[in-house]
Amino acid sequence: MRLFLNKAFLVLSTLTAILGLLFLGWIIVTLVSKGMESLTPYIFTHDLVDNGIRNLIWGQIVLAGLATVFGIPIGVLAGVYLQEYGNHTKYADFIRDLSDVMMSAPSIVIGTFIYAIMVIPMGHTNGWAGIAALFVMMLPIVVRTTDDMLSLVPTELREAGMAIGASKYHVIMHIVIRAAKVGIMTGLILAFARIMGETAPLLYTSGSTIYMETDLSQTYPAMTVSIYNLATMPDEKLVSLAWAAALVLTLMVLGLNLLGRYIIKEKR
Amino acid sequence: MERIFRIISQSSATFLFFVLIATVSVLYLYAKPAIEQFGTYFIIDPRWGVEVTVKESPTKAIQTTPSSPQASSEPTTTPTEEENLEDEDTQASISDDENLDNLDAGLDDDLGGEDIDAQITSDDEDDFEANPTNAAGEKTEVVYGGAVPIVGTIFSTAIAMLFSIPIAMGIAVFLSEIAHEKLVAPVGIAIELLAAIPSIIYGMWALFYFGPFIASIFGGHSVSLLVAGLTLGVMIIPFMAALSRDAINTTPDVLKESAYAMGATKLEVTKDIIFPYAKAGIIGSIIISLGRALGETMAVAFVIGGVFEFAKSVTDPTNSIPVVLANNFAESSGLSMNALFYLALILFVVSFIIIFAAKHYFLRRNKL
């Protein structure tokens, strides 16, 4: 009986695993097969107004990229504070808790928040609001990664630096950060990949447009938002374009993820 | 330099705190008119954007009173038990019908905005029934209630959890205990990569393939509460499986080996050694996934239907808080906008509480 139960358990567990992987495989197969249909060089050289996705790729990268540019210094500095200056103080623990909570805050709520403070005053959706929303999404992730990675740096390194008379600032900048550089880089890439695929915070902050746009104070093209809009269109061609865009987006996100993994592996 | 660096880094940490406070206070500020207008009754009020005549004459006041105890008896039935779903729905539909009756001649082409302004400035606190102070005769007001999206969110998340927990646990156990060594690395990486796929992809897949598939099995519409719940479930499976696997892998090999040495089967090892040891971590991963499912917008937006009605069965379309926010935000203004901010605030606070619960579990594990 015991052995029978054991066998049943093994079979059941394997079956659920297969079932789960089957679903996930189904998604990938669908995505690739539908996405390939209209994935032509044409769509990379034309804007959405001409049934291409060039402006969308541009918009998504600019929004996520600028959010990262603003997010990195503040996030890394906050992480440095938590680990190097405020470690074990109540205040640092409090901030750490807050950043964990913010990390899993519903992304749509962040969208509403940014809408209230940036879109209502401007009167229309704009690129800066999209950047701000992604920035708020990204900040806690960067803080958390930096914090974790710095905590892996052995204390002896810091002590050695102090012992030769370096100031705390020098120790942090030239020893601790350098030692944790690879880990932090990986974290930043993963954070970038995460906000790259975000739709909800952009829905009514950056909006999306069918034209190429370089002025951030205007409604800015966002790939994820456009996918959402296109996929619900009745026109077959537009839906198929949405699939192609979805495939491109997934490839970008997964590519970034693999890059992050590769860097970590290289280090080890 | 030293000092400056310290101050800068400290202020960036404080900035995080500031952002969180700003989020809550801005949401509250914008939700305030709606909070004042509807009070906590908002949470159990199933109507959205329904115009209601403000009652003045006593006969009509009597007409409305029976609806209020019914509506307010709802919160006792609202919680997640499946059996209650049916009566709750019938109750809701009854009160809906009555509201339709209430929706009478008062529609004399007032612009909504004027009404709203009048409501905000008028001093009656919340309930549409209890305001005989206005002697101006009948006038209409628009009532917003959050019960439909709140119930929809709860049910879709519950379906997602029921569906995903067994499968995610199966994958986690399979990866850590059963699978051949050569399988572990590729499957593990595949799972982690799948967890990184943008949620909008899951939404599209569900809209075009999964929804019709489910509808062909269970009947009903291809956009429904069931499809939304299952899509959410599929979406959080990789996430939950990866976290649970990490928790399971923390079990020391020595413990497992000694159990095997006693002649225990894999089932017994899993049940009596691994799960008790990794319990806190597994529960933590479930709660974090729950938080994710609760706030997920895009995977659900395509398939839940977005109608302000309770689902009479699981195959009916309904609505959830993030989807309401996503669909209705752009075209709303005035009071409906405030009501949306109110919903956002509720969602934020609920997920806040859930994450704190998760942290509590993780902290307990760290102490062990």
Side-chain angles (χ1 to χ4, degrees):
Chain A
M1 188 63 194
R2 279 177 66 225
L3 292 178
F4 172 73
L5 275 181
N6 183 45
K7 203 138 210 168
F9 164 74
L10 291 186
V11 170
L12 208 67
S13 172
T14 315
L15 277 182
T16 53
I18 290 173
L19 180 72
L21 292 174
L22 214 63
F23 273 121
L24 301 169
W26 185 11
I27 294 174
I28 298 292
V29 169
T30 311
L31 179 65
V32 172
S33 66
K34 291 293 284 187
M36 286 309 248
E37 272 174 28
S38 49
L39 194 70
T40 54
Y42 174 84
I43 61 172
F44 291 104
T45 53
H46 290 77
D47 293 343
L48 187 55
V49 67
D50 304 318
N51 289 323
I53 56 170
R54 185 183 62 172
N55 65 331
L56 302 181
I57 298 177
W58 158 259
Q60 193 79 13
I61 290 178
V62 167
L63 291 177
L66 281 180
T68 315
V69 166
F70 293 120
I72 286 177
I74 297 184
V76 170
L77 279 174
V80 165
Y81 174 78
L82 291 184
Q83 195 61 40
E84 300 297 323
Y85 288 109
N87 207 6
H88 304 306
T89 61
K90 266 199 177 142
Y91 181 66
D93 285 344
F94 174 65
I95 297 285
R96 212 169 266 155
D97 282 354
L98 283 188
S99 102
D100 281 359
V101 169
M102 274 176 70
M103 196 149 81
S104 2
S107 51
I108 188 95
V109 174
I110 291 172
T112 37
F113 163 61
I114 299 294
Y115 181 89
I117 61 166
M118 291 187 72
V119 177
I120 290 178
M122 294 275 279
H124 56 82
T125 54
N126 59 78
W128 289 114
I131 291 172
L134 291 181
F135 167 73
V136 174
M137 287 287 308
M138 176 176 198
L139 195 57
I141 310 178
V142 177
V143 173
R144 177 63 188 269
T145 330
T146 314
D147 190 17
D148 284 352
M149 289 303 150
L150 290 183
S151 74
L152 294 180
V153 177
T155 323
E156 288 79 6
L157 271 184
R158 298 187 183 108
E159 285 164 354
M162 292 287 189
I164 56 168
S167 67
K168 185 140 194 172
Y169 164 76
H170 275 278
V171 171
I172 292 170
M173 285 309 270
H174 297 292
I175 299 177
V176 179
I177 294 225
R178 210 165 271 190
K181 199 171 58 186
V182 177
I184 295 178
M185 270 301 290
T186 311
L188 294 180
I189 291 174
L190 292 182
F192 182 64
R194 167 99 191 264
I195 58 169
M196 195 76 171
E198 280 294 342
T199 315
L202 291 178
L203 268 180
Y204 32 74
T205 53
S206 80
S208 190
T209 165
I210 54 175
Y211 302 106
M212 192 70 179
E213 185 64 68
T214 47
D215 182 3
L216 281 167
S217 59
Q218 296 299 318
T219 300
Y220 215 70
M223 194 162 185
T224 45
V225 178
S226 281
I227 293 176
Y228 179 57
N229 293 336
L230 289 176
T232 44
M233 297 263 180
D235 187 350
E236 275 297 314
K237 254 182 106 178
L238 292 180
V239 172
S240 150
L241 191 65
W243 278 111
L247 180 62
V248 171
L249 179 73
T250 312
L251 288 180
M252 288 199 286
V253 171
L254 290 190
L256 284 169
N257 265 284
L258 285 175
L259 181 69
R261 285 172 172 283
Y262 177 73
I263 291 178
I264 277 219
K265 220 173 194 172
E266 279 291 281
K267 191 197 173 194
R268 281 178 190 159
Chain B
M1 197 66 201
E2 168 78 39
R3 269 183 86 102
I4 295 172
F5 187 72
R6 192 197 156 107
I7 290 169
I8 292 175
S9 66
Q10 183 163 9
S11 46
S12 12
T14 314
F15 180 74
L16 209 69
F17 178 55
F18 170 74
V19 168
L20 193 80
I21 295 296
T23 311
V24 176
S25 49
V26 165
L27 287 181
Y28 179 75
L29 211 67
Y30 276 87
K32 213 172 166 219
I35 295 176
E36 279 173 357
Q37 178 89 12
F38 307 121
T40 46
Y41 185 71
F42 182 81
I43 298 171
I44 52 167
D45 192 345
R47 295 161 302 169
W48 184 269
V50 177
E51 270 192 80
V52 181
T53 314
V54 178
K55 295 300 174 289
E56 235 253 303
S57 57
T59 46
K60 286 195 172 179
I62 289 164
Q63 232 182 22
T64 42
T65 24
S67 79
S68 65
Q70 266 180 341
S72 52
S73 72
E74 255 178 53
T76 54
T77 55
T78 307
T80 45
E81 287 144 68
E82 291 278 351
E83 308 94 87
N84 288 345
L85 182 58
E86 289 302 316
D87 348 307
E88 186 200 312
D89 284 338
T90 47
Q91 276 188 358
S93 58
I94 289 167
S95 58
D96 265 348
D97 292 345
E98 270 167 347
N99 296 329
L100 285 178
D101 295 340
N102 294 343
L103 233 176
D104 51 13
L107 308 154
D108 27 28
D109 298 332
D110 286 341
L111 281 178
E114 289 172 4
D115 269 357
I116 289 155
D117 290 342
Q119 278 312 313
I120 293 169
T121 48
S122 74
D123 43 0
D124 48 85
E125 275 296 309
D126 57 338
D127 264 337
F128 54 95
E129 288 136 13
N131 54 350
T133 45
N134 268 332
E138 291 189 349
K139 69 197 193 71
T140 58
E141 66 176 72
V142 184
V143 172
Y144 294 96
V148 172
I150 290 171
V151 170
T153 307
I154 291 171
F155 275 105
S156 61
T157 312
I159 294 173
M161 297 318 279
L162 285 179
F163 175 68
S164 62
I165 289 175
I167 294 185
M169 290 308 139
I171 294 179
V173 171
F174 176 79
L175 277 181
S176 57
E177 298 302 312
I178 299 170
H180 193 268
E181 255 178 59
K182 278 182 187 161
L183 264 179
V184 173
V187 175
I189 290 177
I191 295 273
E192 280 174 34
L193 285 183
L194 283 166
I197 288 186
S199 55
I200 191 165
I201 310 292
Y202 287 94
M204 272 181 89
W205 165 75
L207 176 66
F208 290 107
Y209 295 92
F210 193 53
F213 172 71
I214 292 295
S216 70
I217 294 179
F218 294 96
H221 307 277
S222 64
V223 286
S224 67
L225 183 59
L226 182 68
V227 176
L230 292 182
T231 309
L232 266 185
V234 172
M235 193 196 86
I236 56 177
I237 283 173
F239 190 65
M240 201 194 282
L243 283 178
S244 303
R245 187 201 51 181
D246 291 345
I248 287 175
N249 278 344
T250 59
T251 316
D253 284 341
V254 185
L255 277 184
K256 285 189 270 183
E257 280 158 9
S258 45
Y260 283 127
M262 305 266 287
T265 60
K266 276 197 171 155
L267 168 65
E268 285 157 351
V269 170
T270 310
K271 181 164 64 86
D272 297 330
I273 308 286
I274 295 176
F275 274 9
Y277 188 88
K279 197 171 74 185
I282 291 175
I283 293 177
S285 83
I286 290 175
I287 295 180
I288 286 190
S289 311
L290 177 73
R292 214 168 218 220
L294 212 57
E296 180 50 49
T297 316
M298 301 325 292
V300 187
F302 282 117
V303 288
I304 201 163
V307 292
F308 280 99
E309 271 171 37
F310 285 111
K312 298 200 171 43
S313 72
V314 285
T315 51
D316 282 345
T318 177
N319 221 333
S320 81
I321 300 177
V323 178
V324 174
L325 289 173
N327 288 343
N328 301 35
F329 212 81
E331 57 258 27
S332 52
S333 59
L335 196 59
S336 67
M337 174 76 83
N338 296 329
L340 287 174
F341 275 109
Y342 196 177
L343 276 178
L345 187 66
I346 291 173
L347 184 66
F348 192 66
V349 169
V350 169
S351 66
F352 203 99
I353 292 168
I354 285 179
I355 303 308
F356 255 93
K359 284 221 62 144
H360 171 74
Y361 270 104
F362 276 126
L363 283 180
R364 232 176 45 178
R365 184 191 60 177
N366 290 346
K367 275 177 196 161
L368 282 174

